């Protein structure tokens, strides 16, 4: 090989290396805010032995605590949730999960049925950028892109994020190669409280039927689970906003009946769960705080145990060790959030800035 | 060495020039980075439907703060983390209507006005209880019918009437903004 060829190869490799590093720098890190941007990618570092996988939007990643599910019932679980996760994204995330592991139960939160088409690039990014490259990811991108988006920018995100050069901070360099885990198996913890004062009623709709696209992907999810021998549980999490119409509820009841699935609207069980909307939400009813999430999870865990005969696996040494470590992280974060709340009056490091400014 | 510099320059050029187009309305506060219009670009729509209440004109997709200030203390107020934007969605309830906002950079923009009872009307006199003929007489027949709804579009706004058994049961003004699920 002559010298010229070696130099050319070296030049190309160097260029690729520089681009790869630039991409690392320019990708948003979601450390000081929008923590949910990290949820999808955190899954890959997991020991993938989960009996239950949750998929869906903020109504799962804010409202369900896998640590509680383990500590109370010995059920290992993971939440593959993301902000405004659309039904097709849930489907492809599930498809991807099943290449790693086969849970006994998949729980899908049905709020996303209201969206029949892609909504917003920023939310696509929060769900898709964190996925490892796979056919599932490519199909998810294809199903999610808005008209003005381009596939290439998902494959080479530098093409999308180069405009962040003005916003780069030390955080972008610090977390280039490694980010701290922020969630607890996909659960984003918040211990602060903002009571429900008003429950907005939904605006009258011209058509309450969920769209064909939403149903298509729900059908695929149902089929995928049946083919793999997995129980699919459909839930409506007990968040009071966005408004969940009775007409929507009826469609889910009907769908579950036709497909021999279980659907539970937990808004109907708030009293049994002991949820107090004056104390158990951190943003006026959209998301549960830690107290609310633990109450909901305890109730849900009971149901999972009884209905799907999930075994208590706390006696298994390997899992017990893993979850002991997770519990320690969970309670140390709780302690830290309690401290911040006491010291600053709001959760300074946990994404509560916007609300506190609003309240000042 | 010259080749290496050239290859790097070319790759950086392509990285810099082939950025995807993003949302038209501007995704100002997400961490993904903006390469869009600024808040000011969308602050004053050139044309569109506006709701009028006690001599206060409420256009869609404009800074809500001056409007809310003029309207005075709402009967009720609700806010929650926005599902579509970074910040808070807010709903102000007044006598006869509710005004919704979405966060946009440092400001809140009017996303919709929903009429709640027949004490208020559209600027052309349509109220809850009017008939379809009344609507067409006032707004013409250039509408899109979707089920029971009749939608009129003007600029980046739309005015939606829901008509059931020949009576208007809902009237809502909307800003047309990507990500707002109207």
């Amino acid at each position: 090989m002559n010298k010229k060829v070696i130099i050319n190869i070296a030049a190309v490799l160097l260029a690729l290396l520089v681009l790869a590093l630039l991409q690392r720098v320019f990708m948003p890190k979601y450390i000081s805010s929008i923590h949910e941007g990290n949820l999808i990618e955190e899954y890959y570092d997991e020991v993938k032995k989960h009996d239950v996988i949750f998929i869906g939007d903020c109504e799962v990643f804010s409202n369900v605590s896998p640590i509680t599910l383990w500590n109370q019932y010995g059920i290992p679980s993971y939440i593959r949730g993301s902000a405004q996760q659309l039904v097709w994204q849930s489907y492809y995330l599930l498809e991807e999960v099943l290449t790693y592991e086969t849970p006994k139960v998949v729980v899908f939160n049905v709020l996303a049925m209201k969206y029949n088409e892609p909504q917003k690039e920023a939310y696509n990014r929060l769900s898709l950028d964190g996925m490892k490259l796979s056919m599932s990811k490519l199909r998810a991108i294809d199903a999610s892109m808005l008209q003005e988006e381009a596939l290439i920018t998902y494959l080479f995100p530098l093409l999308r994020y180069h405009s962040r050069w003005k916003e780069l901070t030390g955080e972008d360099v610090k977390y280039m190669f490694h980010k701290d885990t922020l969630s607890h198996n996909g659960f984003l913890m918040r211990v602060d409280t903002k009571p429900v004062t008003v429950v907005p009623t939904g605006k009258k709709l011209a058509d309450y039927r969920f769209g064909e696209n939403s149903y298509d992907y729900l059908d695929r999810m149902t089929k995928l689970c049946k083919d793999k021998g997995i129980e699919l549980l459909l839930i409506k999490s007990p968040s009071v906003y966005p408004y969940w119409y009775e007409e929507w509820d009826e469609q889910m009841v009907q769908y579950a009946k036709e497909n021999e699935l279980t659907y539970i609207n937990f808004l109907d069980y708030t009293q049994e769960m002991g949820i107090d909307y004056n104390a158990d939400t951190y943003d006026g009813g959209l998301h549960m705080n830690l107290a609310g999430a633990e109450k909901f999870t305890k109730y849900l865990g009971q149901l999972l145990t009884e209905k799907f005969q999930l075994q208590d696996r706390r006696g298994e040494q390997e899992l017990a060790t893993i979850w002991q470590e997770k519990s320690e992280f969970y309670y140390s974060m709780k302690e830290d959030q309690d401290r911040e709340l006491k010291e600053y009056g709001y959760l300074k490091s946990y994404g509560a800035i916007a609300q506190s400014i609003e309240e000042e | 060495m010259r080749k290496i510099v050239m290859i790097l320059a070319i790759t950086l050029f392509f990285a810099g020039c082939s950025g995807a187009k993003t949302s038209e309305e501007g995704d100002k506060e997400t961490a993904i980075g903006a390469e869009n219009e600024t808040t000011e670009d969308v602050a004053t729509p050139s044309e569109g439907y506006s709701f009028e209440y006690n001599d206060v004109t409420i256009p869609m997709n404009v800074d809500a703060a001056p409007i809310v200030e003029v309207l005075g203390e709402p009967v009720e107020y609700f806010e929650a983390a926005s599902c579509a934007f970074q910040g808070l969605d807010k709903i102000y309830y007044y006598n006869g209507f509710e005004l919704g906002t979405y966060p946009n950079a440092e400001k809140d923009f009017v996303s919709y006005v929903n009429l709640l009872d027949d004490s208020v009307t559209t600027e052309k006199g349509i109220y809850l209880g009017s008939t379809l003929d009344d609507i067409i007489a006032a707004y013409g027949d250039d509408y899109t019918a979707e089920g029971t709804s009749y939608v009129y579009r003007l600029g980046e706004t739309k005015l939606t009437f829901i008509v059931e058994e020949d009576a208007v049961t809902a009237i809502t003004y909307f800003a047309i903004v990507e990500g707002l699920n109207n």
Side-chain angles (χ1 to χ4, degrees), chain A residues 8 14-15 19 22 84 119-123 148 153 159-164 194 198 200 204-206 286 358, chain B residues 3 12 15-16 18-22 25 27 31-33 78-79 81 83-85 90 93 149 164 169 178 181:
Chain A
N8 285 342
L14 183 62
L19 285 176
L22 282 175
Q84 206 187 71
Q119 298 291 306
K120 195 167 167 63
E121 190 225 359
Y123 279 79
E148 60 269 25
T153 65
L159 298 175
R160 171 62 185 89
Y161 293 118
H162 62 82
S163 61
R164 288 189 68 241
K194 184 177 178 185
V198 178
K204 207 171 175 64
L205 304 182
L286 186 62
E358 199 57 44
Chain B
K3 272 186 183 170
L12 288 173
S18 51
K21 269 192 188 172
T22 55
E25 97 295 339
D27 181 36
I32 70 171
F78 173 82
E79 65 179 29
C83 285
F85 299 88
K90 298 175 182 175
Y93 293 89
S149 79
E164 293 167 310
T169 56
E178 182 189 287
N181 191 242

Side-chain angles (χ1 to χ4, degrees), chain B residues 43 45 48-72 92 94-101 109-115 120-121 123 157-159 172-175:
Chain B
Y49 290 110
S50 300
F51 175 61
E52 286 175 18
Y53 177 76
N54 288 349
D55 297 327
V56 179
T57 301
I58 309 175
M60 298 299 104
N61 210 17
V62 298
D63 183 3
I67 295 167
V68 169
E69 195 179 328
V70 176
L71 288 173
Y92 299 84
Y94 299 98
N95 289 322
F97 71 99
E98 62 179 281
L99 185 158
T101 71
F109 277 62
V110 177
S111 57
Y112 74 89
V113 168
N114 185 38
L115 276 52
V120 290
T121 74
E123 75 284 9
T157 69
K158 61 182 181 179
L159 176 57
T172 312
Y173 295 79
F174 290 109

Side-chain angles (χ1 to χ4, degrees), chain A residues 38-87:
Chain A
N38 287 307
L39 294 178
I40 293 298
E41 67 179 284
E42 284 189 0
Y43 171 74
Y44 301 109
D45 293 332
E46 275 292 299
V47 175
K48 298 173 187 69
K49 291 182 175 177
H50 304 110
D51 284 350
V52 178
I53 292 288
F54 294 87
I55 45 173
D57 49 24
C58 55
E59 290 198 359
V60 286
F61 73 66
S62 290
N63 294 359
V64 180
S65 164
I67 302 299
T68 303
L69 209 48
W70 172 262
N71 287 340
Q72 293 282 321
Y73 300 100
I75 299 172
S77 66
Y78 200 93
I79 302 169
R80 290 222 81 187
S82 53
Q84 206 187 71
Q85 189 181 101
L86 303 169
V87 187

Side-chain angles (χ1 to χ4, degrees), chain A residues 345-358:
Chain A
Y346 71 102
L347 296 177
K348 193 178 179 185
S349 317
Y350 296 90
I353 293 168
Q355 283 187 39
S356 60
I357 287 170
E358 199 57 44

Side-chain angles (χ1 to χ4, degrees), chain A residues 90-342:
Chain A
S90 300
Y91 170 75
Y92 288 117
L93 280 165
L94 175 62
E95 185 183 76
E96 187 206 40
V97 164
L98 299 188
T99 64
Y100 293 106
E101 58 180 324
T102 307
K104 294 183 172 67
V105 180
V106 166
V107 181
F108 173 56
N109 186 65
V110 295
L111 178 67
M113 287 295 289
K114 68 189 257 193
Y115 300 112
N116 193 49
E117 57 271 319
Q119 298 291 306
K120 195 167 167 63
E121 190 225 359
Y123 279 79
N124 283 344
R125 293 282 172 184
L126 294 177
S127 291
L128 301 172
D129 276 346
M131 283 180 84
K132 277 190 176 174
L133 187 60
S134 66
M135 284 312 292
S136 297
K137 176 168 180 166
L138 292 175
R139 286 191 281 256
I141 294 168
D142 186 49
S144 302
M145 276 190 306
L146 293 154
Q147 209 173 4
E148 60 269 25
E149 291 186 73
L151 173 66
I152 189 85
T153 65
Y154 283 92
L155 300 178
F156 302 103
L158 179 61
L159 298 175
R160 171 62 185 89
Y161 293 118
H162 62 82
S163 61
R164 288 189 68 241
W165 65 271
K166 293 169 281 196
E167 304 157 19
L168 293 179
T169 64
E171 185 176 291
D172 289 295
V173 177
K174 184 178 176 187
Y175 297 106
M176 261 175 82
F177 299 107
H178 176 75
K179 287 192 272 186
D180 298 332
T181 301
L182 298 174
S183 83
H184 305 274
N185 276 41
F187 168 62
L188 280 185
M189 180 191 291
R190 285 278 294 264
V191 300
D192 48 338
T193 300
K194 184 177 178 185
V196 175
T197 51
V198 178
V199 179
T201 49
K203 290 191 285 290
K204 207 171 175 64
L205 304 182
D207 189 351
Y208 291 88
R209 287 172 301 176
F210 293 131
E212 279 180 21
N213 201 30
S214 298
Y215 271 122
D216 176 34
Y217 280 95
L218 184 58
D219 284 344
R220 295 191 200 197
M221 211 182 288
T222 302
K223 185 175 183 310
L224 185 60
C225 287
K226 283 190 174 161
D227 288 350
K228 297 274 184 181
I230 300 165
E231 300 279 0
L232 176 61
L233 172 64
L234 305 177
I235 65 164
K236 169 64 189 78
S237 201
S239 293
V240 295
Y241 177 83
Y243 190 75
W244 180 248
Y245 294 90
E246 207 174 303
E247 291 86 347
W248 291 353
D249 200 54
E250 284 165 9
Q251 287 172 77
M252 285 297 93
V253 169
Q254 188 60 28
Y255 184 87
K257 195 175 165 190
E258 285 168 5
N259 291 278
E260 296 172 333
L261 301 172
T262 301
Y263 163 65
I264 300 171
N265 178 358
F266 285 98
L267 284 165
D268 295 337
Y269 296 92
T270 52
Q271 278 197 325
E272 286 95 319
M273 288 187 274
I275 288 177
D276 174 1
Y277 287 106
N278 286 316
D280 294 334
T281 164
Y282 69 80
D283 56 3
L286 186 62
H287 304 111
M288 298 283 115
N289 61 17
L290 181 62
E294 289 187 342
K295 286 178 186 175
F296 174 44
T297 305
K298 281 176 191 169
Y299 194 84
L300 182 60
Q302 183 76 27
L303 186 139
L304 288 167
T305 303
E306 288 170 3
K307 182 150 186 66
F308 302 111
Q309 290 86 47
L310 295 181
Q311 301 300 308
D312 184 341
R313 299 179 68 184
R314 281 175 287 188
E316 294 179 28
Q317 191 54 49
E318 186 196 357
L319 283 177
T321 307
I322 291 168
W323 284 85
Q324 175 62 32
E325 199 179 315
K326 288 177 184 292
S327 286
E328 283 165 15
F329 173 46
Y330 182 82
Y331 289 111
S332 71
M333 183 182 281
K334 181 183 181 305
E335 203 174 300
D336 188 53
Q337 291 201 5
D338 286 336
R339 178 194 59 75
E340 277 206 359
L341 207 51
K342 201 172 169 187

